[in-house]
Amino acid sequence: MNENKYDEYDLWFADNAGNRIRTFFELVEKPGGARELYDSNAVPGWKRNIGIYIKIKENLDKNRIEICCIKDAEYPAKLREIYDPPYILYYKGRLPDNSSRMSAVVGSRKATSYGRKMAFEIGKILGEHGVTVVSGMALGADSSAHRGCLEGKGITAAVLGSGADVCTPASNYRLMEEIIDCEGCVLSEFIPGTPGYPYNYPKRNRIISGMSENVIVIEADEKSGTSVTAGMALEQGRDVFALPGNINSVMSRGTNRLIKEGAVPIISVESILEEMNIPVRNNKKSAEKLSREENRILRYIQNSGTADMDGLCMEFGKNSYEIAGIVTVLEIKGYIIKNEGKITVAK
């Protein structure tokens, strides 16, 4: 833990400087650092109640949250290079090693079953080939990419639009814990306890693209946050890949336009590795193995003909978060179909 490395004055500086670090960084680098800057009141208008930050610091250990500063060796190297990097990152788990390659996989929260399946497969093949998958842990494509990477025994990092101790969305709590348990991390520039306010997400998105060498866009409307992330990636000099889609689908308008404007079309999951100059392993695909819990739930649905979330929770004595995670994985793998709340076996 870094509990003794940074004090409440560093937290005060990070909170006030926001995304203007390049403007104020030289001030905090002077002898005396953030403490002297606070005492001097050199930047009028900045919040002065240091007691707030003392309480925040006291809560870091309690919530297993660590701190990484822009000057630390473990700070994501590519993120440090962008125009407005965060001064401090709060995180749970283990930050990706700077020697590893990182790819962002992003897409719509309302991704189609095709979009979720492709996000899962892309996340999985990247994980299998040692590429860290960076995404936002949102519903839809993001969650599928994280789960695919975990399925491929890879490492994944979730960048939140809330504090690192606030699971957004709450239904992804099980996924968040699995990411941390599998040597990945959840991270944020926002002070712990910060809710997922809508205006946090554009700031969050620059971190997703900033950490990564490329951004892989699964599905997106033309004016969606995902399309904005792709624009940020281009501004940061990152390569952009886009999944082609049905021209009649709203969810493919953004990706098809990105391809028209020069993004690399994804013609197969292996094509991404080829573009990254990563040799594709010639392993023969065997049938996907299901976990014990996945098998139990699948057999129950097969025997019942149809099921719903409440019934599965009662039958297996699990909470809705756990059941939702298992059902989502079964759907992504193509074993079941969800339609209007009813769950049936895929034909």
Side-chain angles (χ1 to χ4, degrees):
M1 292 288 290
N2 291 330
E3 61 269 24
N4 296 318
K5 194 170 183 180
Y6 297 105
D7 62 20
E8 57 269 23
Y9 296 96
D10 291 297
L11 304 187
W12 164 81
F13 174 79
D15 189 33
N16 281 275
N19 61 359
R20 299 169 293 169
I21 292 301
R22 297 290 187 208
T23 305
F24 295 111
F25 190 65
E26 60 183 33
L27 293 174
V28 81
E29 283 296 277
K30 291 180 178 179
R35 172 65 185 267
E36 185 172 306
L37 181 61
Y38 179 87
D39 291 338
S40 69
N41 200 15
V43 189
W46 280 19
K47 288 179 281 188
R48 308 296 296 170
N49 185 0
I50 201 66
I52 295 172
Y53 302 98
I54 293 174
K55 289 182 179 179
I56 291 168
K57 186 174 182 295
E58 290 172 349
N59 285 330
L60 293 178
D61 287 347
K62 178 182 175 183
N63 292 309
R64 294 185 302 144
I65 297 173
E66 299 194 49
I67 294 175
C68 179
C69 180
I70 194 170
K71 53 193 174 184
D72 293 333
E74 62 267 30
Y75 189 93
K78 293 189 76 65
L79 182 61
R80 188 186 286 118
E81 298 168 1
I82 71 172
Y83 172 72
D84 51 355
Y87 179 68
I88 277 178
L89 293 173
Y90 302 92
Y91 67 97
K92 298 179 72 173
R94 181 176 177 181
L95 284 175
D97 193 301
N98 273 320
S99 63
S100 66
R101 302 184 70 174
M102 302 184 210
S103 289
V105 182
V106 296
S108 173
R109 288 174 172 82
K110 300 177 181 178
T112 65
S113 58
Y114 169 68
R116 294 193 301 273
K117 182 175 176 62
M118 291 307 302
F120 183 89
E121 290 185 4
I122 289 168
K124 182 179 178 183
I125 198 169
L126 290 173
E128 289 172 340
H129 286 76
V131 179
T132 298
V133 171
V134 183
S135 196
M137 212 176 78
L139 297 175
D142 289 16
S143 296
S144 298
H146 288 303
R147 289 190 173 97
C149 185
L150 293 171
E151 180 80 6
K153 309 301 181 187
I155 292 173
T156 183
V159 186
L160 304 185
S162 60
D165 58 335
V166 180
C167 182
T168 48
S171 58
N172 268 346
Y173 181 79
R174 184 171 176 268
L175 173 60
M176 182 177 77
E177 290 296 300
E178 191 174 354
I179 288 171
I180 295 169
D181 290 343
C182 294
E183 299 191 349
C185 71
V186 294
L187 63 102
S188 174
E189 69 175 313
F190 301 110
I191 284 176
T194 303
Y197 296 120
Y199 49 78
N200 289 350
Y201 289 93
K203 293 183 69 177
R204 182 278 304 265
N205 292 347
R206 86 188 193 287
I207 298 177
I208 294 175
S209 56
M211 288 177 63
S212 311
E213 66 178 82
N214 53 52
V215 174
I216 299 164
V217 185
I218 302 301
E219 284 183 326
D221 197 352
E222 287 185 281
K223 297 181 180 179
S224 66
T226 302
S227 294
V228 172
T229 304
M232 290 179 176
L234 293 170
E235 290 175 6
Q236 294 167 349
R238 309 298 189 245
D239 293 330
V240 174
F241 297 83
L243 181 71
N246 185 331
I247 62 172
N248 294 316
S249 171
V250 173
M251 289 296 102
S252 294
R253 288 176 182 170
T255 50
N256 289 342
R257 180 165 290 281
L258 284 171
I259 292 169
K260 179 183 177 183
E261 294 173 352
V264 179
I266 300 169
I267 57 174
S268 69
V269 292
E270 292 81 7
S271 70
I272 298 170
L273 297 176
E274 292 165 1
E275 290 286 342
M276 295 174 68
N277 292 316
I278 297 175
V280 180
R281 296 173 191 158
N282 261 328
N283 293 338
K284 287 186 179 179
K285 264 194 165 184
S286 57
E288 285 184 296
K289 292 183 179 179
L290 298 180
S291 70
R292 180 173 174 271
E293 289 301 317
E294 289 166 356
N295 264 316
R296 287 181 65 206
I297 290 176
L298 179 60
R299 283 200 302 271
Y300 176 81
I301 298 169
Q302 287 172 330
N303 293 335
S304 303
T306 185
D308 57 41
M309 294 296 293
D310 290 340
L312 291 173
C313 290
M314 291 180 62
E315 176 68 22
F316 293 96
K318 295 181 179 295
N319 62 42
S320 59
Y321 297 160
E322 293 175 300
I323 291 296
I326 295 171
V327 167
T328 299
V329 170
L330 287 172
E331 184 184 16
I332 289 169
K333 291 180 178 179
Y335 287 97
I336 61 172
I337 296 171
K338 285 193 297 184
N339 185 24
E340 296 182 352
K342 297 296 181 183
I343 305 167
T344 56
V345 175
K347 302 298 182 186

